[in-house]
Amino acid sequence: MPKIRSIFGYMWAGAAIIVVFATFLASDFFSRALVASSGVKISPWYSGGEVVQTLDHGSYRTHVHRPVFDALIGEKDEGFIQVNWEPLAGLPSVIEESFDYSGDGKADFSVRVDTKTGEASLAPINPMVVSIRKTAKLDDGWMIRVQLSRTIKKDR
Amino acid sequence: MKTDTHQVPQGEGKGRTIVLTLVMAVITVVMFSQGKMPQDPKEMIALVLTLLFANTLFFLLLYTGRTDRYRAIYFSTFAVSLIISFVSHMFEARGSMSLSETKILQCEVPFCHLVIPMTLVPMAITKTIIFPGSLLGKYASIASMFVIWIGATLALGRGFCSWVCFYGGLDDGFSRVLKRPVIRNINPKWIYLPFAVLLLVALTAAVYLSPVYCSWLCPFKAVTEFQAVTSTKILIQTIIFVGLFIGLVIVLPILTKKRTQCAFLCPFGAMQSLTNKINVFDVRIDKEKCVKCKRCIQVCPTLSMSEESLEQGCARITCMKCGKCIDNCPKGAISYHIKGTDIPGKRNAYRLLFLFAAFLFLAIFSSHIIQDGIVRVLKLITTGSMIS
Ligand code: SF4
Ligand code: SF4
């Protein structure tokens, strides 16, 4: 028995050296396999969530993301919705657009972004729409995150 | 192989050392160059210097039988090179060390292993990674760091913290500045603090879906990247990072000769300690040879040796496998060990197998960072600037 344990120990130690080689020689393969098999994504709190609608305006496009309320389990009361406009070169000096994220056929909010100065304003229509959480110039476009709240809806 | 009857660390014979170093030389040439010779003279010089550095240290590790001294030189060089390389990279790409909001919103923040403990619970439940980085491709992608972590954990357990972590070489290096510690009596209960930090950051990260340790506590932000100070909150965070870096990575390691940030704060280190349980290599004490002089307890930089360790014949779970206690034991009672085998048994064979896994990991993982560090220094000498 001690001999078997000892042989097993040596084999395990030898395998450790093989693991070192495999880690570096097949790093790309393992990285892809890890992502594919686990199905993980970047949290929508960072990525903005999946794009659910793309509107083509000719020289530029608008990408509307899904509303993000994700919690560890279930959903939070506070969330946001992200909209991106790209490419930078095709954007007008002022973007004005309305959005219906709830899908009821009526606009929930409209935004105005001055792509020269970065000034942005929001006109909430749906009571869940609270304020502008963030506006930013990206490498190839502009984005805005609009704060949404379910508690406000209940309170009102 | 020399016989195992000497009491102090003993190396391999000269012939055996040369043969084994040649094997390492072949592996490192292939792995460091990735099969192609650089055309740029600075890159060529960097490759040659890195190869010479690695193989000289490996030769000395084997020939002298001393582990910690030569490991620490390599490990600290890795950490310093990382700072030179990373900061130059940041200045080249972004013009400063601060992380712009744009890069965060575009999910282009380089990922580091210290975030891993906070990502695990949200990943298991929501299948998402709570970090604004890129999953694949790009610099320091999330998947590539996970692969490195899994590989290093399987091969070395918490040996990660003495052979792999690109930050660990900093407090390791500073803990060697003074010959004797100024602060001697450290309460061993401090070794439990990283476990508490681990629990706290893992839970808060899960609740807030945000890597709270990175946002509030990581000392290494001070020397890598931090968010541009645009609000009072970010200013407070920056003061915390810098304060923790100066205190835990520079001042306390110098005064205590311990790796204070790694032993008393790092939640990743605490998580790695748990992986020592499933790793094949450990550090054991031959109770027959041990004379209880407690030298190992004094020198261990992580308080992983205690009187109970001497009684039980093994280091604590927090052992980073640095080899310092092994090098310092006057009776040669401590050695690397392969689980399942005899003690002391074939201690040189155990050490050799451990060293091959650990040294190879350190050498391969650090090679491009050290080469880039050398290229940056050569650029600084020849052009007055580290960046292109
Ligand atoms: S304790 Fe943390 S910082 Fe220190 S070596 Fe380990 S992972 Fe790195
Ligand atoms: S017990 Fe020995 S090998 Fe482990 S961390 Fe302490 S000095 Fe290093």
Side-chain angles (χ1 to χ4, degrees), chain B residues 68 162 283 296 299-305 315-316 318-326 334 336:
Chain B
D68 179 59
S162 281
V283 168
C296 54
V299 298
C300 176
T302 62
L303 307 189
S304 298
M305 278 289 179
R316 280 181 169 140
T318 47
C319 170
M320 297 183 191
K321 303 170 194 177
C322 65
K324 196 167 189 178
C325 55
I326 303 173
I334 314 176
Y336 288 114

Side-chain angles (χ1 to χ4, degrees), chain A residues 1-48 50 66 69-74 76 82 84 133-141 143 145, chain B residues 27 31 101-108 121-123 125-137 141-152 154-156 206-211 277-281 338-342 346 349-350 352-354 356-358 360-361 364-365:
Chain A
M1 191 62 181
K3 195 155 175 85
I4 295 173
R5 278 179 39 200
S6 164
I7 292 170
F8 186 69
Y10 278 113
M11 281 169 55
W12 191 3
I17 299 175
I18 295 169
V19 164
V20 178
F21 282 113
T23 301
F24 293 101
L25 292 174
S27 166
D28 272 359
F29 168 79
F30 286 130
S31 300
R32 281 174 206 293
L34 197 65
V35 173
S37 62
S38 63
V40 291
K41 295 195 171 90
I42 299 295
S43 162
W45 287 96
Y46 296 101
S47 68
E50 295 81 12
R66 71 166 168 89
F69 286 98
D70 307 42
L72 187 66
I73 297 162
K76 300 184 184 197
Q82 178 170 325
N84 288 49
R133 187 180 167 125
K134 199 160 278 175
T135 319
K137 186 179 181 185
L138 305 178
D139 287 348
D140 194 27
M143 62 82 75
R145 278 189 185 175
Chain B
I27 297 171
M31 299 299 288
E101 194 174 48
T102 304
K103 295 291 162 194
I104 299 171
L105 290 168
Q106 291 180 166
C107 291
E108 290 176 1
V121 175
M123 187 163 63
I125 297 176
T126 67
K127 286 203 163 199
T128 63
I129 301 272
I130 52 163
F131 189 82
S134 57
L135 278 176
L136 289 164
S141 72
I142 295 169
S144 68
M145 282 311 299
F146 264 85
V147 169
I148 297 279
W149 168 60
I150 294 168
L154 290 173
L156 307 171
V207 171
Y208 294 107
L209 295 180
S210 161
K277 282 273 176 215
I278 53 151
N279 182 250
V280 68
F281 299 109
I338 292 173
K339 288 178 185 165
T341 61
D342 297 336
K346 298 189 170 106
Y350 305 157
L352 209 53
L353 281 163
F354 173 74
F356 252 92
L360 266 176
F361 215 112
I364 301 171
F365 188 39

Side-chain angles (χ1 to χ4, degrees), chain A residues 27-132:
Chain A
S27 166
D28 272 359
F29 168 79
F30 286 130
S31 300
R32 281 174 206 293
L34 197 65
V35 173
S37 62
S38 63
V40 291
K41 295 195 171 90
I42 299 295
S43 162
W45 287 96
Y46 296 101
S47 68
E50 295 81 12
V51 173
V52 288
Q53 194 184 8
T54 296
L55 306 160
D56 197 335
H57 304 285
S59 70
Y60 72 100
R61 286 173 300 281
T62 306
H63 301 291
V64 186
H65 296 246
R66 71 166 168 89
V68 173
F69 286 98
D70 307 42
L72 187 66
I73 297 162
E75 294 201 326
K76 300 184 184 197
D77 282 339
E78 305 293 316
F80 70 85
I81 182 164
Q82 178 170 325
V83 179
N84 288 49
W85 293 275
E86 55 137 45
L88 204 53
L91 296 183
S93 51
V94 174
I95 304 170
E96 274 193 281
E97 215 167 335
S98 299
F99 299 96
D100 166 24
Y101 71 83
S102 57
D104 60 1
K106 287 184 280 180
D108 294 304
F109 65 92
S110 55
V111 286
R112 183 180 190 279
V113 180
D114 185 325
T115 58
K116 293 282 172 284
T117 62
E119 263 175 55
S121 58
L122 170 83
I125 299 163
N126 182 328
M128 275 176 68
V129 176
V130 182
S131 59
I132 294 176

